[in-house]
Amino acid sequence: MQKINKNVVLALLSLTSLVFLLFQLYYYKFYLSQKSPLAAPEPPPNCPCVANNSRSVDVEQNGAVFSKVRGSLSDQDSTRWHVVRKFLGLISSHNIPVYLIDPLILGLVDKDIEQIRSSPDGPSPECKYFCAPRDFTTFALLDKTWKHEVGLFRTAEKMGFQWLKIINKDPRLDGMDDLSGIEIPLHYIFKLASHAIHLVVFYERSGNYLWHGPLRLKQHMDKKFVPFRKLHFGRYPGAYEKPELLLVSIDDLKVQIPKNPSSFLEEMSHSRFLECRYREARAFFQLYPDDASLGAVEFRKKAKSLLHLAALTLNKLGVKFWLSSGTCLGWFRQCNVIPHSKDVDLGIFIRDYKTDIIPAFQKAGLPLKHKFGKVEDSLELSFQGDDDVKLDIFFFYEEDDHIWNGGTQAKSGKKFKYLFPKFTLCWTEFVELRVHVPCETLQYIEANYGPDWKVPVKTWDWKSSPSNVQYNGIWPIDEWDDVIQIY
């Protein structure tokens, strides 16, 4: 009898343990899991979710409105929406203004921009934008608008985010006298579930533009934290105009976007930025001490003023230009104007030529000094600045495998051609101005000045000294009045 009682007791104990185990599994599934970051999330607009006594409540947090609907998450698309919503709630709770710069989403928004602008509640109840397939959603943050509060990251962790901060040195502090080692935050990654937010930090620079740095991981960082190669920002530094922002409702989320998304996307495709090479410039001046004479200082001051005026004039016309010839060499070799060059040189693709260029410069107080060539062939303009400082504008012509600009000798009508390998344009900062330079600068410089470009040359013959010059015939005498104009 005792033996039977023991078996019964063991059976009861086993049954009790099983019931307790099932209760724990039930409790974990239906209670604890609801406290996880994405458990029982609010569905995005028009999400195919299960509606169990669902109700909608609008909650405003520091200007950001989020529509909260109780329901259950059903697919990966809506996960992206929920991560974005939680991120916007995070930055809103800390009063941090961000704006959307994600190229995929802005591309979709741009197609519906008029409807989005005119509808305070968004274009449609469908989750069309933030539910679009992608690994990241990209936002921008202006550095001066927040204080790098530690509380932001503590709150992010409580909300379930994992985060990563990418820092690098601040190029704004670099100069001929100091190569700064001070590091600043350039990028943040906030990861939740299967989606991540890429927050790009923009800094204002002396040329009155915004700049973001490259994304370079330190050795100790987790290279697999997110698929970094898929990021749209960070492959290289970028420079942008300060955007005008517009507050809109997209997929039931209030968010700021560039007022003109298409312009921003176009700017993004040509945003690559090159820093001046201060380290190499310092090495150059150790070999060839800088000219600090009063004449050199005065010339550089006038050249800077002339370049700023030229940039202002061409930018108003919407004409893209770049530093060329000696001005480009000065930037690349010594981060400054070459004092013995006596002029400022700019390049413009002939496709960007406008008849308004000459009148615009004359109106700006720069009279035309000479006009050589014609739009179809070897056009070159020269404007007179203060004293003996002049502005030379060379127009470049594209061929299948090279690019060239022309030159004309006034007294003989001889033509010359200067050949360059094909190049693209990047931004840089030069004499406190955001300007273009050839991205392939070394090849551009070597084509014009040869392999010894690092050695200063004060005697220069434009007809024979350049490495890439070719004789190109003579202008017909009956065209001289049109192609050789001196004022």
Side-chain angles (χ1 to χ4, degrees):
M1 190 70 179
Q2 282 185 332
K3 191 172 184 179
I4 295 176
N5 288 338
K6 288 181 180 180
N7 289 336
V8 171
V9 170
L10 289 173
L12 289 172
L13 288 174
S14 299
L15 181 61
T16 302
S17 298
L18 180 61
V19 170
F20 182 73
L21 178 61
L22 291 173
F23 174 80
Q24 285 184 314
L25 291 173
Y26 177 87
Y27 181 83
Y28 177 82
K29 181 176 180 180
F30 291 98
Y31 290 92
L32 293 183
S33 64
Q34 290 185 14
K35 297 180 182 181
S36 64
L38 286 178
E42 298 82 3
N46 203 28
C47 171
C49 304
V50 180
N52 293 326
N53 299 319
S54 63
R55 62 188 183 88
S56 176
V57 181
D58 286 338
V59 179
E60 183 171 353
Q61 298 178 336
N62 300 318
V65 179
F66 310 106
S67 177
K68 294 193 172 184
V69 185
R70 294 179 184 176
S72 61
L73 190 64
S74 65
D75 55 27
Q76 182 65 25
D77 289 348
S78 57
T79 298
R80 302 181 188 98
W81 181 88
H82 287 294
V83 173
V84 172
R85 181 186 64 81
K86 291 180 79 71
F87 173 75
L88 291 175
L90 168 67
I91 58 96
S92 176
S93 66
H94 287 264
N95 296 311
I96 301 173
V98 300
Y99 57 97
L100 182 70
I101 57 171
D102 192 281
L104 188 148
I105 299 176
L106 286 181
L108 296 174
V109 166
D110 186 55
K111 297 177 181 178
D112 304 326
I113 189 62
E114 294 303 324
Q115 187 179 2
I116 290 174
R117 285 174 178 167
S118 61
S119 176
D121 297 323
S124 71
E126 177 187 0
C127 184
K128 179 179 179 181
Y129 308 100
F130 288 119
C131 289
R134 65 197 185 284
D135 295 298
F136 299 88
T137 302
T138 313
F139 288 88
L141 165 68
L142 299 184
D143 172 71
K144 65 180 182 180
T145 61
W146 79 308
K147 300 178 181 179
H148 306 278
E149 297 176 357
V150 177
L152 171 70
F153 307 104
R154 291 175 179 169
T155 305
E157 291 174 356
K158 291 179 181 178
M159 296 175 68
F161 282 103
Q162 294 176 280
W163 59 273
L164 182 67
K165 178 170 72 172
I166 293 92
I167 62 175
N168 214 321
K169 74 173 189 174
D170 188 349
R172 298 171 301 170
L173 302 178
D174 280 353
M176 296 308 302
D177 300 323
D178 180 31
L179 294 176
S180 171
I182 297 177
E183 294 188 321
I184 53 175
L186 299 178
H187 300 263
Y188 293 98
I189 308 291
F190 293 86
K191 184 173 72 171
L192 183 63
S194 59
H195 196 65
I197 303 294
H198 181 197
L199 184 59
V200 184
V201 186
F202 282 79
Y203 292 83
E204 189 170 339
R205 293 186 56 155
S206 58
N208 196 33
Y209 64 96
L210 298 180
W211 168 91
H212 73 77
L215 195 157
R216 301 289 181 266
L217 298 178
K218 305 287 186 179
Q219 288 187 351
H220 66 277
M221 290 184 173
D222 182 4
K223 306 298 190 296
K224 298 181 180 180
F225 184 71
V226 291
F228 289 100
R229 292 183 180 275
K230 295 184 179 181
L231 292 174
H232 297 289
F233 291 81
R235 293 185 183 91
Y236 42 74
Y240 292 79
E241 293 182 6
K242 297 177 182 178
E244 186 177 356
L245 301 178
L246 178 69
L247 181 63
V248 296
S249 178
I250 301 175
D251 292 340
D252 208 21
L253 299 176
K254 290 288 186 181
V255 63
Q256 290 197 102
I257 64 171
K259 190 173 183 179
N260 190 331
S262 61
S263 295
F264 178 84
L265 293 172
E266 173 64 21
E267 190 177 11
M268 178 183 170
S269 65
H270 302 95
S271 64
R272 186 178 177 185
F273 184 90
L274 301 177
E275 291 290 350
C276 180
R277 308 181 323 142
Y278 283 111
R279 193 176 301 278
E280 290 80 0
R282 289 180 70 176
F284 170 81
F285 285 122
Q286 287 176 356
L287 293 173
Y288 310 99
D290 193 18
D291 185 353
S293 66
L294 180 61
V297 172
E298 282 297 313
F299 171 73
R300 280 174 168 160
K301 182 178 179 181
K302 292 175 182 178
K304 175 182 176 180
S305 177
L306 181 58
L307 181 56
H308 276 248
L309 180 58
L312 179 64
T313 304
L314 291 171
N315 288 337
K316 283 183 178 179
L317 294 175
V319 175
K320 186 181 293 186
F321 68 95
W322 66 89
L323 304 183
S324 188
S325 302
T327 307
C328 184
L329 175 63
W331 166 77
F332 189 67
R333 186 176 68 188
Q334 54 211 72
C335 296
N336 209 335
V337 175
I338 299 175
H340 59 262
S341 61
K342 303 306 178 185
D343 56 19
V344 172
D345 303 310
L346 301 180
I348 296 176
F349 285 116
I350 195 63
R351 65 172 181 263
D352 295 324
Y353 172 78
K354 292 184 178 181
T355 56
D356 295 338
I357 290 178
I358 294 176
F361 275 106
Q362 292 174 328
K363 185 177 180 181
L366 300 178
L368 184 64
K369 184 177 176 68
H370 72 241
K371 176 185 177 184
F372 294 155
K374 53 187 178 181
V375 174
E376 296 79 16
D377 183 10
S378 305
L379 183 62
E380 173 190 341
L381 302 176
S382 184
F383 298 91
Q384 186 62 56
D386 291 341
D387 298 330
D388 58 346
V389 183
K390 63 187 178 73
L391 171 68
D392 291 332
I393 300 180
F394 304 100
F395 289 86
F396 284 68
Y397 298 77
E398 295 183 76
E399 305 292 348
D400 291 337
D401 58 351
H402 68 279
I403 297 174
W404 63 275
N405 73 284
T408 297
Q409 186 179 35
K411 65 180 182 180
S412 67
K414 290 181 179 179
K415 299 168 59 181
F416 299 87
K417 179 183 285 190
Y418 305 86
L419 276 61
F420 295 85
K422 287 206 164 187
F423 58 87
T424 54
L425 295 179
C426 287
W427 290 110
T428 192
E429 184 176 317
F430 185 59
V431 294
E432 299 181 349
L433 184 70
R434 185 181 73 140
V435 291
H436 278 118
V437 291
C439 298
E440 301 79 11
T441 321
L442 179 59
Q443 294 91 323
Y444 188 86
I445 294 294
E446 286 184 335
N448 212 181
Y449 297 97
D452 296 327
W453 59 269
K454 293 182 180 180
V455 181
V457 176
K458 294 189 177 181
T459 302
W460 184 262
D461 186 338
W462 61 271
K463 302 181 297 299
S464 59
S465 296
S467 300
N468 58 342
V469 65
Q470 292 183 0
Y471 178 69
N472 195 31
I474 300 177
W475 288 107
I477 294 179
D478 60 352
E479 293 187 25
W480 280 27
D481 288 344
D482 293 326
V483 299
I484 304 175
Q485 298 181 20
I486 301 175
Y487 301 88

